[in-house]
Amino acid sequence: MNRATKLILIAALVAVVATTSGCFHRVRIDDVTKTRTITKRIAAGEATATATHIAFGAGELKVSGSDIANDAVAGDFTFAPNTLEPELTSEVTSEGALYARIDQPDVLNVPPASIGGPVNMTQRWDVKLSNALATDLWLNMGAGDANIDLSGVDLTALHVGLGAGSTKLDLSGPRTRALSATIQAGVGEIVVRLPKGLPVRVTGSQDGLGDYKYGDGFHRSGGDIVNDAWDEAQHGTTDYKGQIELNVQQGIGEVRLELVD
């Protein structure tokens, strides 16, 4: 595939990312000159498990685990205009689990540069997830930079959908249960950090536009990418309490897998 074709495909995918609004509410632009920072929380109550959904349109996103007392989710949110204030909702299921959701509104009718210049919107989230709760996490991101550190979160499932930008995803740290995770990569770079001391198997499509790299400690097993601990667990030579099975669908850009102690 020549460079011109690749650039056309990249432009097309970026356009789709910019116009897709399935996860977000549409709002109109108001005053973009006043930036606000607010703190919002979702109480854990009696829940011991949570399903958390984060829908982030564009900007800078940080997600990490924390020992946040009495809260399932807490965050500091910086944004402009006011219509981009995130919405936090929650409900308790009949089984007693907590469903928590954070949504960023989408933007409707952005004035073009010819009518007074480009609109300078601001969106920065710093979201904390409770380390004390078993967590299913869904994360959808449109465009921007994301630093997702889940090394301390007791993940039971993970689903990540990415648009355009740079993403760092840390799944290292001790785990006492099996984790099934999926990543739908978009346009840009994604770096995934995985624990060297636990069995790890990576599956999925590796034929997107760009590079697909895996660091020292990984090797191929058939069409999969695994580490030594995965081989040891399959042959019964070592008993592990946790493992990670990660399915990555490559998009346009670089996917890099790293093993860390």
Side-chain angles (χ1 to χ4, degrees):
M1 182 178 294
N2 60 38
R3 178 177 174 81
T5 303
K6 289 184 178 181
L7 290 175
I8 291 171
L9 289 173
I10 290 172
L13 184 52
V14 170
V16 170
V17 169
T19 58
T20 299
S21 59
C23 297
F24 311 107
H25 301 289
R26 285 191 170 275
V27 297
R28 294 184 179 276
I29 290 292
D30 59 7
D31 188 354
V32 299
T33 63
K34 298 178 180 179
T35 300
R36 295 174 59 200
T37 299
I38 61 175
T39 299
K40 290 190 173 187
R41 296 180 171 86
I42 295 177
E46 300 298 321
T48 58
T50 179
T52 299
H53 190 154
I54 300 174
F56 185 80
E60 300 175 22
L61 174 65
K62 180 179 179 181
V63 180
S64 60
S66 179
D67 297 323
I68 44 179
N70 304 319
D71 292 327
V73 179
D76 295 323
F77 305 93
T78 299
F79 55 92
N82 286 332
T83 43
L84 287 182
E85 179 176 344
E87 300 174 357
L88 276 67
T89 56
S90 64
E91 63 178 301
V92 178
T93 69
S94 58
E95 293 80 15
L98 176 69
Y99 177 75
R101 186 177 181 104
I102 308 177
D103 287 292
Q104 173 188 310
D106 198 6
V107 175
L108 182 65
N109 293 343
V110 178
S114 60
I115 308 179
V119 173
N120 294 319
M121 293 178 292
T122 299
Q123 193 74 282
R124 293 190 300 273
W125 291 5
D126 185 355
V127 179
K128 306 292 186 184
L129 306 177
S130 173
N131 288 338
L133 298 176
T135 299
D136 285 3
L137 178 61
W138 283 262
L139 171 61
N140 294 315
M141 183 166 180
D145 296 329
N147 189 345
I148 314 299
D149 183 357
L150 304 175
S151 57
V153 180
D154 183 14
L155 288 173
T156 46
L158 175 65
H159 312 272
V160 178
L162 300 173
S166 175
T167 300
K168 296 179 180 179
L169 175 62
D170 192 340
L171 297 178
S172 65
R175 300 201 178 274
T176 59
R177 70 176 85 225
L179 169 62
S180 176
T182 61
I183 299 174
Q184 181 66 58
V187 180
E189 178 190 58
I190 177 169
V191 178
V192 186
R193 293 163 55 90
L194 296 153
K196 183 177 181 180
L198 289 179
V200 175
R201 179 173 70 168
V202 183
T203 61
S205 170
Q206 301 168 24
D207 56 358
L209 296 177
D211 296 324
Y212 196 108
K213 302 177 180 178
Y214 49 93
D216 294 341
F218 278 117
H219 60 274
R220 287 197 173 274
S221 176
D224 302 335
I225 299 170
V226 302
N227 64 349
D228 292 339
W230 180 270
D231 290 336
E232 293 170 358
Q234 301 311 300
H235 293 114
T237 56
T238 305
D239 184 22
Y240 293 92
K241 293 183 178 180
Q243 67 178 36
I244 296 177
E245 293 194 66
L246 173 63
N247 181 273
V248 180
Q249 298 297 319
Q250 185 181 6
I252 299 176
E254 180 176 289
V255 174
R256 189 163 77 246
L257 308 174
E258 300 177 350
L259 285 175
V260 297
D261 293 323

